[in-house]
């Protein structure tokens, strides 16, 4: 295995020391990973996941015009809000927020242990990458992927939809398939705020994965993925949130 970058080591250390408060939830159709190291079957984790992020993980991020409404709406008490006067400073003289300045997020999913945890010579393997994710503004707390008001669902920013072939994944998700005689593998999901100018299209272009947004990349481009080099290349900075499951 390549030497894991500091981003992975730091996340695993944080989750080990604070296992009850992961900052990212990983949602599959029949199960949600809400605790680090949660065990899933290959069937359960076969389809591309969706994600929700802890509002507390976003407090240090910068929003346009200091607009924290996507965060504050998920952390405030509705009963308290009903008794408070409006504190909005928006007026006709304020410029509209440029949608391209609204924070977008990138999430990679990596298998740290192929082919075996005791001999991870092929790791990490890139199992999936999603980009241009935005904080949901339509959260209701009832029918959403995460009903916990402390977690904000992430959804694809539809301004970056390029048509029927656009599946919304920079690298198509590949479900876990560890060898049958292997100990469980760790599948880690890491989330960053995308730097200005970094989009899913730019990543595919600079990584040489082609211009089509079908998410297809070659097997050898997944194996021994240079996660540290990838972070440096696109200036990703510190991880905003993360979690992992085993399978």
């Amino acid at each position: 295995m390549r030497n894991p970058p500091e981003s992975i080591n730091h996340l695993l250390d944080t989750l080990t020391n604070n296992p009850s408060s992961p900052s990212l939830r990983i949602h599959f159709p029949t199960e949600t990973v809400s605790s680090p190291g949660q065990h899933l079957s290959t069937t359960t984790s076969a389809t591309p996941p969706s994600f929700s992020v802890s509002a507390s993980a976003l407090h240090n991020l910068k929003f346009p015009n200091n607009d924290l409404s996507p965060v504050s709406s998920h952390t405030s008490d509705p009963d308290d809000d009903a008794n408070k006067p409006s504190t909005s400073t928006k007026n006709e003289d304020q410029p509209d927020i440029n949608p391209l300045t609204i924070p977008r997020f990138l999430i990679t999913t990596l298998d740290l242990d192929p082919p075996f945890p005791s001999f991870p010579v092929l790791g990490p393997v890139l199992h999936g990458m999603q980009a241009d994710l935005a904080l949901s503004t339509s959260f209701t707390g009832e029918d959403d992927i995460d009903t916990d008001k402390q977690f904000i669902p992430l959804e694809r920013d539809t301004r970056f939809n390029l048509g029927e072939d656009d599946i919304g994944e920079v690298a198509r998700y590949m479900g876990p398939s560890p060898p049958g005689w292997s100990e469980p593998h760790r599948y880690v999901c890491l989330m960053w705020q995308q730097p200005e100018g970094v989009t899913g299209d730019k990543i595919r272009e600079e990584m040489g994965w082609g211009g089509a947004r079908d998410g297809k990349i070659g097997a050898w481009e997944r194996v021994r993925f240079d996660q540290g080099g990838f972070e440096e290349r696109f200036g990703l900075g510190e991880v905003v949130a993360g979690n992992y499951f085993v399978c």
Side-chain angles (χ1 to χ4, degrees), residues 6-18:
E6 179 59 27
S7 59
I8 293 178
N9 289 332
H10 180 70
L11 174 65
L12 294 178
D13 287 345
T14 299
L15 293 175
T16 298
N17 294 328
N18 301 281

Side-chain angles (χ1 to χ4, degrees), residues 10 31 49 63 65-66 90 101 105 118 125-126 154 164 167 184 193 205 212-213 232 245:
H10 180 70
E31 191 165 350
F63 289 79
N65 292 352
N66 295 318
K90 178 68 176 176
T101 67
F105 301 95
S118 60
V125 171
L126 178 65
L154 295 165
E164 294 181 358
I167 65 170
Q193 183 176 358
E205 179 182 354
R213 289 303 300 273
E232 183 176 355
F245 62 95

Side-chain angles (χ1 to χ4, degrees), residues 29-193:
T30 61
E31 191 165 350
T32 290
V33 179
S34 55
S35 300
Q38 189 169 321
H39 192 281
L40 300 182
S41 69
T42 55
T43 301
T44 297
S45 55
T47 57
S50 53
F51 303 92
S52 58
V53 60
S54 168
S56 62
L58 303 172
H59 285 166
N60 292 328
L61 301 186
K62 293 182 178 180
F63 289 79
N65 292 352
N66 295 318
D67 178 15
L68 293 175
S69 57
V71 176
S72 59
S73 64
H74 292 76
T75 57
S76 59
D77 187 325
D79 293 334
D80 291 342
D81 291 343
N83 298 319
K84 290 179 180 178
S86 172
T87 57
S88 173
T89 57
K90 178 68 176 176
N91 57 55
E92 294 181 357
D93 295 329
Q94 285 182 307
D96 292 334
I97 296 172
N98 179 352
L100 295 181
T101 67
I102 295 174
R104 298 188 307 278
F105 301 95
L106 166 74
I107 297 178
T108 63
T109 302
L110 302 161
D111 178 358
L112 303 182
D113 300 315
F116 313 109
S118 60
F119 187 60
V121 65
L122 299 179
V125 171
L126 178 65
H127 270 253
M129 183 183 296
Q130 298 183 35
D132 306 321
L133 299 171
L135 302 176
S136 173
T137 57
S138 58
F139 176 84
T140 66
E142 297 176 356
D143 299 325
D144 298 274
I145 59 171
D146 200 324
T147 58
D148 187 335
K149 290 185 178 181
Q150 300 302 313
F151 280 79
I152 307 173
L154 295 165
E155 57 189 12
R156 183 83 195 293
D157 190 329
T158 55
R159 289 187 298 268
F160 294 88
N161 187 299
L162 298 180
E164 294 181 358
D165 293 333
D166 181 10
I167 65 170
E169 295 180 275
V170 180
R172 187 188 294 268
Y173 179 74
M174 179 176 66
S177 57
W181 56 89
S182 171
E183 293 294 318
H185 289 199
R186 295 167 298 168
Y187 295 86
V188 63
C189 298
L190 303 103
M191 169 181 156
W192 293 267
Q193 183 176 358

